[in-house]
Amino acid sequence: MQFTRLRLTGFKSFVDPTEMVIAAGLTGLVGPNGCGKSNLLEAIRWVMGESRASAMRSDGMDEVIFAGSGSRPARNHAEVTLTLDNRARRAPSGLNDGDTLEIVRRITRDAGSAYRANGKEARARDIAMLFADASTGAQSPSLVRQGQISDLINARPKARRRILEEAAGIAGLYQRRHDAELKLRATEANLARVADVLEALEGQIAALGRQAKQAARYREIAHNLRRTEGLVLYRLWKDADAASAVAAADLLAATRSAGTAQAAAAEATRLRDAAEAALPPAREEDAVAGAILQRTALERERLASDSAAALQRIADVETRAAQLGLDMARETTLDADAMKMDAALTTERDALAAEGAGHDEALRAARAAAEQAGEALRGVESTFDAQAEGTARLIAEHATALARQSDARKRAADLARALEQADAALAAGEADLDRAATARDASTISAEAATTRIRALDTRLAAAEETAVRARTEDGAARARLAEAEGAARALAAERSGLERILARPKDAVTPILDAIEVTGGYEAALGAAIGADLGHPLLETGAPTGWEALGPLEAQPLPAEVEPLASRVLAPAALARRLAATGIVDRQDGARLQAILRTGQRLVSREGDLWRWDGLRLAAGGAPSAAVERLSRVNRLRDLVETSARADEAATEARALQAATAAQFAQATSAETAARADRRAAEQALAE
């Protein structure tokens, strides 16, 4: 597997969603000190399962969450997503379906962190085993931090061995061997505890045997004690009857005073009910107001942050507009100066033209005078030189005026071009200002729309997270219910199987009449006392040489009037009809009294197993129950288990269907939460842009 992408949200200095693509080959990050390069390595360690806060350069794991700054509020959670190339299909079986594998670790402040693998919840141990199989992990020497090179050079042989094992790709095998050793030690400890429990149970069995003997003695003493207590209670009743007559008079007076108190209590009860009826709406309104207040505070903080950012952008645009206004004023001043200079140059040009208007005529007159006075050249040489000098001066001044005029024209042209450029710059500045205002309005609208979308997505994400938590809770409850139902069904099935094995008889064994009897639950001891060891004989009709034979009914001798026939509680073959017809069920305290009026062959039994026979024999229940009673109890228990096991199987089937439904709902809620989180990341990116 190869790392292909790393995404951080709210992790340390990466407050905004940041994604780094890790291409094939060598990928490098270059930046100054403090730009967050080390945070990327710590993010990779963290998402791979690092659990030590010191490895994150923190005192607590919550410190990896962005703690806020002067312009950004603190985040409540941090998330790191690592994407791996799984085209080689080296991931575990449950995550080996796609070409990519996405590992997500998310931590919420004061709530701990959780892992997801391809959108499914995962344990930290599963993530560590995943990277251990890939010969890497959070403590892998391949993740080189600051100062680790010297540690590797000075490492002990044991640390170097770990490096070689990781390079050989057997680090995961060592981890699995370690887990297997832990399980074996736990199993050995469990076996030792089982041996201790068995030894303790043997001692308890011996103690229970002694307690059983003591219980038999206790029943006998308790019978005599109850009789004595009855006499004492009768005496106390006589005394209480005499005292009740005295108390009746006091009761009448107390009843009258109680009537007055009861009226006052009724009024107080009515007032209390009214107050209690008004209390729940007030509590509900208080809870709603608290929730609204908290959400309003959060909205106000976010709006304040957004407003500050928008005001900063407006201030920047206004500063730029003011600078453009100053530039426009400066260009206007330069334009006015240029116009003044152009007017002065025009005036000077006109003056020069006026001064040079008579020059040509004077020159022609001088030439004519020179021709006429050529003869008198020597005489007027001084005059000619003076005039020539004046002429030269005029020519020089004329040339200078022409040069100044040319320079003025060039300056005027330059000023005109500068003026045109200033006008163009002013128009461009105004256009930029308009575009900036338009962009500001558009960005404000986009920011408001993005903020509104983020709020809606926050609501959607909160609802999705709440739905996911509720679905997770329901799925956990359904799983617990399914485990409980399956455990109950397995326990009932095991008990049923054990009873069936206990009740099963060898194929060649003689079937006693006991196996053909059904008795109402709770009357097993009564049937065992009535028939006793005779229940172990078979029916003669089964081919046995000795046993029970079905004889015709005898003339019925009625049982005492207050005695219930045992036959009404027993469903047995016809061979037992005579024995059951002569047996009745009574309470323990009535047996001795009714024994004297029994007729020949009749007997009375109690549900506890006591026996009173017509010939005077009296047997009290005591000691361990007989094998026949035990078998009848087990048969009844097996019959109940058949029905209970069927209901338990139905409950397990319903719980299995419910768990499948809740699992589907949980998967759907998880997908909705993932989609909502992706949409919110996209909205945050849009707002950042």
Side-chain angles (χ1 to χ4, degrees):
M1 292 185 289
Q2 178 182 354
F3 297 170
T4 59
R5 185 177 289 103
L6 179 66
R7 179 180 177 84
L8 304 93
T9 303
F11 185 86
K12 287 198 171 184
S13 60
F14 296 92
V15 57
D16 294 322
T18 304
E19 185 170 309
M20 183 181 70
V21 178
I22 305 174
L26 182 64
T27 300
L29 290 173
V30 180
N33 292 338
C35 67
K37 301 187 296 297
S38 300
N39 293 342
L40 294 175
L41 179 61
E42 292 173 0
I44 295 176
R45 287 181 179 275
W46 188 68
V47 75
M48 293 172 69
E50 180 60 65
S51 59
R52 298 171 301 160
S54 59
M56 298 288 105
R57 298 181 296 172
S58 304
D59 295 332
M61 195 57 74
D62 285 351
E63 294 184 11
V64 303
I65 304 174
F66 178 70
S69 63
S71 59
R72 302 296 293 271
R75 298 293 293 270
N76 193 38
H77 64 272
E79 182 177 288
V80 177
T81 303
L82 182 63
T83 305
L84 299 90
D85 186 359
N86 191 34
R87 286 178 291 185
R89 294 297 191 275
R90 295 182 179 177
S93 59
L95 305 172
N96 211 17
D97 299 332
D99 292 339
T100 60
L101 179 60
E102 186 179 73
I103 306 299
V104 180
R105 184 176 183 181
R106 180 185 177 92
I107 183 171
T108 303
R109 198 178 301 277
D110 299 330
S113 59
Y115 293 86
R116 289 181 180 273
N118 282 348
K120 301 178 181 178
E121 288 191 355
R123 302 177 302 176
R125 180 179 179 182
D126 298 333
I127 300 301
M129 189 60 67
L130 167 67
F131 289 107
D133 291 339
S135 297
T136 183
Q139 286 81 34
S140 174
S142 60
L143 300 176
V144 182
R145 64 179 182 274
Q146 185 176 2
Q148 190 173 358
I149 299 298
S150 60
D151 294 342
L152 294 177
I153 294 175
N154 300 324
R156 295 182 179 182
K158 185 176 181 180
R160 294 179 181 176
R161 176 184 178 184
R162 186 166 65 88
I163 298 173
L164 296 176
E165 289 173 353
E166 182 173 320
I170 60 175
L173 298 179
Y174 275 93
Q175 182 67 28
R176 283 189 165 82
R177 187 184 71 176
H178 177 66
D179 293 342
E181 290 176 351
L182 292 179
K183 291 180 180 178
L184 287 175
R185 294 193 189 99
T187 303
E188 291 174 355
N190 290 335
L191 290 175
R193 285 196 294 271
V194 168
D196 295 339
V197 171
L198 290 176
E199 184 178 355
L201 288 177
E202 291 177 355
Q204 291 178 5
I205 290 172
L208 289 174
R210 293 190 300 270
Q211 292 174 7
K213 295 179 181 179
Q214 293 175 359
R217 177 63 178 165
Y218 171 78
R219 281 197 297 268
E220 182 179 357
I221 296 173
H223 177 70
N224 297 330
L225 182 61
R226 282 194 297 271
R227 183 176 180 182
T228 305
E229 288 176 348
L231 296 175
V232 173
L233 290 174
Y234 175 74
R235 180 63 180 271
L236 293 175
W237 174 79
K238 292 292 289 182
D239 295 339
D241 188 26
S244 64
V246 178
D250 298 337
L251 177 62
L252 181 60
T255 303
R256 292 175 181 175
S257 61
T260 305
Q262 186 174 5
E267 180 64 20
T269 302
R270 184 183 64 79
L271 295 176
R272 186 193 62 187
D273 293 340
E276 289 180 350
L279 185 59
R283 286 181 177 172
E284 183 176 359
E285 291 177 0
D286 181 66
V288 172
I292 293 174
L293 178 61
Q294 183 179 6
R295 187 168 186 84
T296 303
L298 294 176
E299 288 293 330
R300 183 180 63 187
E301 292 178 1
R302 184 167 61 252
L303 289 175
S305 178
D306 296 342
S307 176
L311 290 175
Q312 183 63 34
R313 296 185 63 184
I314 291 172
D316 295 340
V317 173
E318 290 178 350
T319 302
R320 186 175 178 185
Q323 184 64 36
L324 289 175
L326 294 175
D327 294 342
M328 183 174 65
R330 186 176 61 255
E331 294 298 333
T332 303
T333 303
L334 292 176
D335 184 30
D337 294 341
M339 295 296 292
K340 291 179 181 180
M341 182 61 71
D342 184 51
L345 291 176
T346 302
T347 303
E348 188 177 356
R349 183 186 61 187
D350 294 339
L352 290 175
E355 291 177 0
H359 176 70
D360 295 336
E361 296 179 357
L363 182 59
R364 286 194 297 272
R367 287 178 179 176
E371 291 177 355
Q372 294 176 0
E375 295 179 356
L377 181 58
R378 294 178 182 177
V380 294
E381 186 175 4
S382 57
T383 304
F384 178 76
D385 291 336
Q387 291 178 351
E389 184 178 355
T391 302
R393 186 173 62 253
L394 291 175
I395 292 172
E397 292 176 355
H398 180 67
T400 302
L402 291 177
R404 291 178 65 183
Q405 184 181 12
S406 177
D407 293 339
R409 288 177 179 173
K410 290 181 180 179
R411 260 184 96 179
D414 293 339
L415 290 174
R417 285 194 298 272
L419 182 60
E420 292 177 356
Q421 293 176 357
D423 292 337
L426 178 60
E430 292 177 350
D432 291 340
L433 185 59
D434 294 338
R435 285 194 298 272
T438 304
R440 180 191 64 189
D441 297 338
S443 64
T444 302
I445 295 172
S446 300
E448 291 176 354
T451 303
T452 303
R453 176 171 173 78
I454 288 177
R455 292 174 185 169
L457 290 175
D458 284 338
T459 304
R460 175 185 168 192
L461 179 59
E465 290 177 347
E466 182 179 357
T467 303
V469 171
R470 185 168 58 254
R472 185 184 300 110
T473 303
E474 293 176 355
D475 184 52
R479 290 179 184 273
R481 181 178 176 184
L482 176 59
E484 182 180 357
E486 289 181 345
R490 286 194 295 269
L492 291 174
E495 185 179 359
R496 177 182 175 183
S497 177
L499 287 177
E500 288 176 348
R501 287 196 301 270
I502 292 173
L503 295 175
R505 295 187 183 274
K507 294 182 179 180
D508 54 350
V510 177
T511 303
I513 195 173
L514 176 63
D515 292 350
I517 296 175
E518 293 183 7
V519 61
T520 304
Y523 291 86
E524 298 90 350
L527 181 62
I531 303 178
D534 295 341
L535 290 172
H537 298 297
L539 289 168
L540 291 178
E541 60 186 27
T542 60
T546 59
W548 291 87
E549 182 177 0
L551 302 177
L554 293 174
E555 182 179 354
Q557 295 183 359
L559 293 167
E562 48 189 305
V563 175
E564 178 185 2
L566 180 61
S568 62
R569 300 291 182 177
V570 178
L571 181 62
L576 290 178
R578 293 188 176 186
R579 176 70 70 89
L580 295 176
T583 305
I585 304 173
V586 296
D587 294 333
R588 267 187 165 182
Q589 60 270 24
D590 297 333
R593 178 175 57 84
L594 297 175
Q595 183 179 15
I597 60 175
L598 292 178
R599 300 183 181 182
T600 304
Q602 293 180 342
R603 60 186 67 192
L604 299 176
V605 293
S606 67
R607 294 183 61 177
E608 293 79 6
D610 302 309
L611 172 66
W612 298 270
R613 210 162 62 186
W614 64 277
D615 54 1
L617 178 63
R618 180 183 301 176
L619 298 177
S626 63
V629 174
E630 285 286 343
R631 186 172 182 85
L632 288 173
S633 300
R634 288 169 179 169
V635 169
N636 286 338
R637 175 60 180 164
L638 180 59
R639 187 183 305 111
D640 295 338
L641 281 177
V642 172
E643 299 177 359
T644 307
S645 179
R647 289 194 298 270
D649 291 338
E650 293 177 359
T653 303
E654 293 176 357
R656 196 174 293 109
L658 177 61
Q659 192 276 327
T662 55
Q665 293 176 359
F666 177 53
Q668 183 178 1
T670 303
S671 301
E673 180 186 2
T674 303
R677 187 171 287 107
D679 292 342
R680 193 184 187 285
R681 285 199 297 266
E684 287 180 348
Q685 185 67 28
L687 179 59
E689 293 175 357

